[in-house]
Amino acid sequence: MNSTWDLPSVKEIMEKAVKSELLAHPHVKKLWELSGDKSLFTKSPEELSSLRRDLLRSSLKFFAEMSDFYEELFNRIGIDPGSAELEDLVKLAVPSDLLRGEGYKRFLIQQVKSEPSTVFSSSGTTSNTPVRVYRTYLELAMMTRANTLLFEYVYGGELERGRGIALFLAAKELRSRLNFVAFVDLALQGKEIPLLYGMVLSKEEAGGSQWKKLVPNKKAIMEFFKSKEEPKLLFTAPAGIYLLSKQFENMNPFLKILSKTVYRIPPVDLGEGGVIVTGGGSKGFQIPDYDTIVKYSRKFFKARRNGLEVPTPFMDVLGMTETLTALIDNYDVMGKIPHPLQEVFLIDPKTFKLVQEPDRDGILGIFDPLAVSWLEVFLPGDMVRFKYSNRYYGKEFQYVRRLSKDEGWELQRACGGTLEEMMSSG
């Protein structure tokens, strides 16, 4: 892939996805149907747990059938695909560092190499060798379908087709490289909601890496602020919304009057259904903690529900380069919740046994059966805890922190963290 390659449209991806030869396999065909099944979000935790166990077993059978690598792996570590249990995921999980550079290739099954595809990558700003993940168009299509349904569940309603406007404080070029940007772009295309990109890559300042310098696209940002469309959906790293709010606060009196007169801001009216969606967390940067950012930014961004002003909704996405579906929360409403098909498990850092009790920190592990290019069971390097929930998953998760190098983990960032790093340094 060359540097000018761009992400195909969601229409092209969907058209090619349904022609995938992989859909001839019953396991993949079932996954395709489930990826667009909204009824999953109405099932009980027990029903979904049973479904995920069935999908784990059929996934392992699929990969054993398709690949000598996986068949030998299962035999070597003593896993019978037909009777696999959640505990077996601990044996199968690989650290994300194994996906750096060309590392992802060792996990691919042969059959996907002739499929139309792309490779997502972390930016490489914290490592010279970024994490890379291969995605067929079929996987991109399932990613878009599944994540859109998850987003709407957490958002609290279906996004009306063709209604509203969105701003992403990222550069358009990043949608072909970063998983989170691609998901947002494709999902909004599917909903026919216009998306503006609030950053551009500065080629003059980029030096050796074009991904390291982002500068604001003031025209796009102002177009979003002035638009009368609603809802307004603002996607950003936490640093982005914090810095925007800081700029509003630091306006001198004359500029405040001028801005209010000409642009009607601040505050920015996100309108009926407006929401701010963040990704990346505050991981070690010189910005306040997330709670403070939310409370601070709500002074400068307003939203309504049912015609009444409400505390501006904030949703936060925990998604890495290597995750096909994300975990999303809604501040003050629900903790981070996975897609119904994604198996999220926590591992005790001392015993390497599954964490079964709530409110205990554990190493995050993720198995996503919708990935069919490789067996997507991995440890991104984060500490997470859970609490019981009466929602479909039965659990909600809370991000705790990144594992440190002292804990034996090489630092690598998820795409959201990368965006944040770009913005705070640029």
Side-chain angles (χ1 to χ4, degrees):
M1 185 193 315
N2 60 51
S3 59
T4 61
W5 184 87
D6 194 14
L7 186 72
S9 69
V10 72
K11 181 174 183 289
E12 180 181 351
I13 287 172
M14 293 296 176
E15 287 175 350
K16 292 187 176 178
V18 296
K19 296 176 182 176
S20 170
E21 295 181 359
L22 291 170
L23 284 172
H25 196 287
H27 169 69
V28 180
K29 183 180 180 182
K30 181 176 182 179
L31 291 175
W32 168 253
E33 293 167 351
L34 287 171
S35 69
D37 187 350
K38 190 175 182 179
S39 73
L40 292 174
F41 294 83
T42 65
K43 295 186 182 300
S44 70
E46 293 75 22
E47 288 176 300
L48 290 173
S49 178
S50 177
L51 174 59
R52 290 197 297 272
R53 186 187 62 185
D54 291 344
L55 290 178
L56 168 62
R57 293 174 178 178
S58 61
S59 290
L60 298 187
K61 290 177 183 176
F62 170 77
F63 283 102
E65 177 185 337
M66 292 290 170
S67 163
D68 292 341
F69 170 82
Y70 285 107
E71 183 179 31
E72 292 169 5
L73 173 66
F74 301 153
N75 289 334
R76 188 166 65 249
I77 60 179
I79 292 179
D80 175 6
S83 59
E85 295 290 350
L86 181 59
E87 287 74 10
D88 291 318
L89 290 176
V90 179
K91 303 177 188 175
L92 292 166
V94 298
S96 293
D97 275 343
L98 293 183
L99 303 174
R100 292 190 180 280
E102 302 299 304
Y104 72 93
K105 291 184 177 178
R106 81 187 75 171
F107 300 106
L108 297 179
I109 61 174
Q110 187 66 31
Q111 291 80 355
V112 300
K113 295 180 180 177
S114 60
E115 294 266 324
S117 62
T118 187
V119 177
F120 289 124
S121 172
S122 57
S123 72
T125 52
T126 56
S127 169
N128 291 329
T129 310
V131 171
R132 304 177 75 202
V133 172
Y134 182 96
R135 297 292 187 212
T136 64
Y137 281 18
L138 176 62
E139 289 170 308
L140 290 178
M142 290 195 287
M143 175 183 83
T144 303
R145 285 153 59 103
N147 276 326
T148 300
L149 292 175
L150 173 62
F151 181 93
E152 290 182 330
Y153 175 87
V154 178
Y155 174 69
E158 187 172 343
L159 293 171
E160 189 173 332
R161 188 173 301 279
R163 184 178 178 187
I165 189 170
L167 174 71
F168 201 146
L169 291 179
K172 187 175 183 180
E173 292 89 336
L174 296 180
R175 67 182 184 176
S176 62
R177 296 290 298 269
L178 300 181
N179 187 45
F180 179 41
V181 183
F183 148 60
V184 172
D185 193 295
L186 293 173
L188 292 174
Q189 282 187 51
K191 288 291 181 179
E192 301 176 8
I193 297 174
L195 171 62
L196 304 171
Y197 281 93
M199 308 291 279
V200 292
L201 291 172
S202 173
K203 295 179 181 178
E204 292 182 359
E205 298 181 29
S209 172
Q210 63 175 322
W211 312 111
K212 291 188 176 180
K213 289 295 181 181
L214 291 170
V215 295
N217 181 348
K218 294 180 180 177
K219 180 180 178 182
I221 293 173
M222 293 311 299
E223 181 181 346
F224 176 78
F225 285 170
K226 291 192 297 181
S227 174
K228 295 181 179 178
E229 294 287 336
E230 55 184 12
K232 286 194 176 87
L233 314 173
L234 174 53
F235 296 85
T236 175
I241 192 65
Y242 175 72
L243 294 173
L244 274 176
S245 300
K246 200 74 177 173
Q247 287 182 8
F248 288 139
E249 184 174 53
N250 292 337
M251 282 180 169
N252 63 50
F254 172 74
L255 196 56
K256 278 185 180 177
I257 294 173
L258 181 64
S259 179
K260 191 75 176 176
T261 303
V262 177
Y263 303 116
R264 304 190 303 276
I265 59 172
V268 176
D269 182 10
L270 299 176
E272 181 71 32
V275 64
I276 295 171
V277 184
T278 59
S282 57
K283 305 172 182 175
F285 296 99
Q286 297 302 312
I287 57 174
D289 60 58
Y290 194 72
D291 289 345
T292 301
I293 289 175
V294 170
K295 291 171 184 172
Y296 176 63
S297 302
R298 280 175 167 170
K299 295 191 294 183
F300 304 100
F301 292 85
K302 302 296 181 181
R304 299 186 303 277
R305 292 291 187 273
N306 301 316
L308 301 176
E309 184 176 324
V310 296
T312 306
F314 270 73
M315 295 166 59
D316 186 65
V317 178
L318 178 59
M320 307 82 183
T321 302
E322 57 275 38
T323 50
L324 195 142
T325 55
L327 290 84
I328 310 178
D329 71 30
N330 191 330
Y331 192 84
D332 279 344
V333 177
M334 69 183 81
K336 285 185 168 53
I337 192 164
H339 185 273
L341 301 181
Q342 186 188 73
E343 191 70 74
V344 174
F345 55 98
L346 305 184
I347 301 173
D348 186 301
K350 293 181 179 177
T351 67
F352 287 93
K353 302 289 186 182
L354 288 177
V355 174
Q356 306 284 7
E357 304 81 17
D359 301 318
R360 278 187 55 202
D361 295 354
I363 299 172
L364 174 64
I366 293 174
F367 164 55
D368 202 320
L370 295 180
V372 292
S373 294
W374 69 297
L375 182 59
E376 190 167 296
V377 190
F378 69 99
L379 309 174
D382 298 299
M383 294 294 282
V384 171
R385 66 183 63 146
F386 78 86
K387 65 178 182 180
Y388 291 121
S389 166
N390 59 5
R391 298 183 182 276
Y392 64 85
Y393 206 84
K395 296 177 182 176
E396 296 174 20
F397 297 86
Q398 178 186 356
Y399 184 89
V400 178
R401 63 179 174 84
R402 189 77 183 153
L403 284 167
S404 68
K405 289 184 178 181
D406 291 340
E407 291 168 308
W409 205 273
E410 285 294 317
L411 182 65
Q412 63 91 18
R413 291 201 177 282
C415 59
T418 301
L419 285 173
E420 183 176 77
E421 180 170 338
M422 289 173 174
M423 295 186 64
S424 64
S425 62

